[in-house]
Amino acid sequence: MDVFTLAVFIVFLVIFYLAASVKIVRQGYRYTIERFGRFTEVAAPGFNLYPAFFYRVGQKINMMEQVIDVPSQEIITRDNAMVSVDGVVFFQVLDAAKAAYEVSNLHIALLQLATTNLRTVMGSMDLDETLSKRDEINARLLSVVDHATNAWGVKITRVEIKDIRPPTDIVNAMGRQMKAEREKRANILEAEGFKSAEILRAEGAKQAQILEAEGKREAAFREAEARERAAEAEAKATTLVSEAIASGNAQAINYFVAQKYVEAVEKFATSSNAKTILFPVEATQLIGTLGGIGQLAREALGTDAPPPLPGTGLPRTKTP
């Protein structure tokens, strides 16, 4: 009975020892293994067996990308403006042994390093630069902090400024400045618009005057041409009448006189002051003159016609 109990006790101890010697490492982590307090190696994810009491787990290092929130802090810029700044730092452990034994507390060390370098970088810039050059600030912080953490086996992947809050009075001044700048731009644009409108209006007036002058020139040219043709027609008509008179044709004289008579009557009729027109001539004379014109036209066309009625100058009508 005593031997059986001893055997069971020994088996229990063996199982307990084996269980204590098994180290299960989760994915994304690395465990540092120490032998009697001295670092020996890094346990990879999965099943690991290390004799208990001789080996133990030193630190459990997270190998995934992590983020540290940099709390808000007051920073004085180069132009003596006070701003409140906060940000975040993204990092990843590449060497578990260095992260475990080269620095006492990795997260606190990274936070302090990011804070001090944030003050250094932003303190060397003016307020306007801090507000407009966030990408430059992020790049400078990333370069400085990443270089400082190489000895810790840490890779700084990103440094981002979350918020920059100037004092209230500076914000109000910036608002007034922005408003004044926008009003200035609006006035400039309005003036440029008026300038462009005046230029276009002047160009339009210029083109209108040019076109009007060209139109007047063309009209004068047409009018002169019409007068020239009218003069030629008048000269030709006068020549024909002169030839007819020279040949002894009295109807040509009647035509000439009738033409002038009709033009004079037309002027009387178109006068704005003429209400009633009195003709101090006999109607038969006008009819005779018109008859003479008709006879002259028939003779000019070479058609045969009977002699006019006596005293009237009207042509006779042929009876069937």
Side-chain angles (χ1 to χ4, degrees), residues 179-192:
K179 182 179 179 181
E181 184 67 23
R182 290 181 177 177
E183 290 179 353
K184 175 183 175 182
R185 293 179 181 177
N187 293 332
I188 292 175
L189 292 176
E190 185 177 3
E192 290 179 353

Side-chain angles (χ1 to χ4, degrees), residues 96-310:
K98 290 183 178 181
Y101 300 105
E102 295 294 335
V103 61
S104 176
N105 191 315
L106 181 61
H107 285 77
I108 294 178
L110 289 174
L111 179 59
Q112 296 300 323
L113 183 63
T115 301
T116 55
N117 282 279
L118 180 61
R119 289 179 177 273
T120 301
V121 172
M122 297 195 65
S124 63
M125 304 175 68
D126 294 333
L127 177 61
D128 293 339
E129 294 178 342
T130 60
L131 296 176
S132 61
K133 297 183 178 180
R134 289 197 178 192
D135 293 338
E136 181 179 344
I137 296 173
N138 295 336
R140 291 176 61 181
L141 285 174
L142 177 62
S143 176
V144 173
V145 177
D146 184 52
H147 179 72
T149 56
N150 284 334
W152 301 343
V154 176
K155 173 64 178 176
I156 305 298
T157 56
R158 292 191 303 277
V159 178
E160 300 289 341
I161 300 298
K162 289 197 302 183
D163 192 16
I164 299 177
R165 296 178 298 276
T168 305
D169 55 345
I170 295 180
V171 173
N172 295 333
M174 292 172 63
R176 292 193 299 270
Q177 180 182 1
M178 183 182 301
K179 182 179 179 181
E181 184 67 23
R182 290 181 177 177
E183 290 179 353
K184 175 183 175 182
R185 293 179 181 177
N187 293 332
I188 292 175
L189 292 176
E190 185 177 3
E192 290 179 353
F194 286 148
K195 177 182 177 181
S196 300
E198 291 297 330
I199 291 174
L200 292 176
R201 190 177 294 110
E203 289 290 337
K206 176 183 176 182
Q207 293 296 328
Q209 292 178 358
I210 292 173
L211 293 176
E212 184 179 0
E214 291 180 353
K216 289 182 179 179
R217 185 182 66 178
E218 184 68 19
F221 176 77
R222 299 291 184 183
E223 185 178 358
E225 185 178 3
R227 288 198 301 269
E228 181 181 359
R229 292 184 179 180
E232 291 178 355
E234 184 70 20
K236 187 175 181 180
T238 304
T239 302
L240 293 176
V241 171
S242 299
E243 292 177 355
I245 293 173
S247 61
N249 191 349
Q251 298 296 332
I253 299 175
N254 292 335
Y255 167 77
F256 186 76
V257 173
Q259 182 182 8
K260 298 301 182 180
Y261 185 82
V262 171
E263 291 178 357
V265 172
E266 180 182 1
K267 291 181 180 180
F268 276 116
T270 57
S271 176
S272 59
N273 298 324
K275 302 299 182 178
T276 304
I277 301 176
L278 300 176
F279 293 96
V281 293
E282 296 181 358
T284 57
Q285 294 180 0
L286 176 60
I287 296 174
T289 303
L290 295 177
I293 294 174
Q295 181 66 25
L296 179 61
R298 282 190 294 272
E299 291 179 0
L301 295 176
T303 57
D304 295 333
L309 294 174

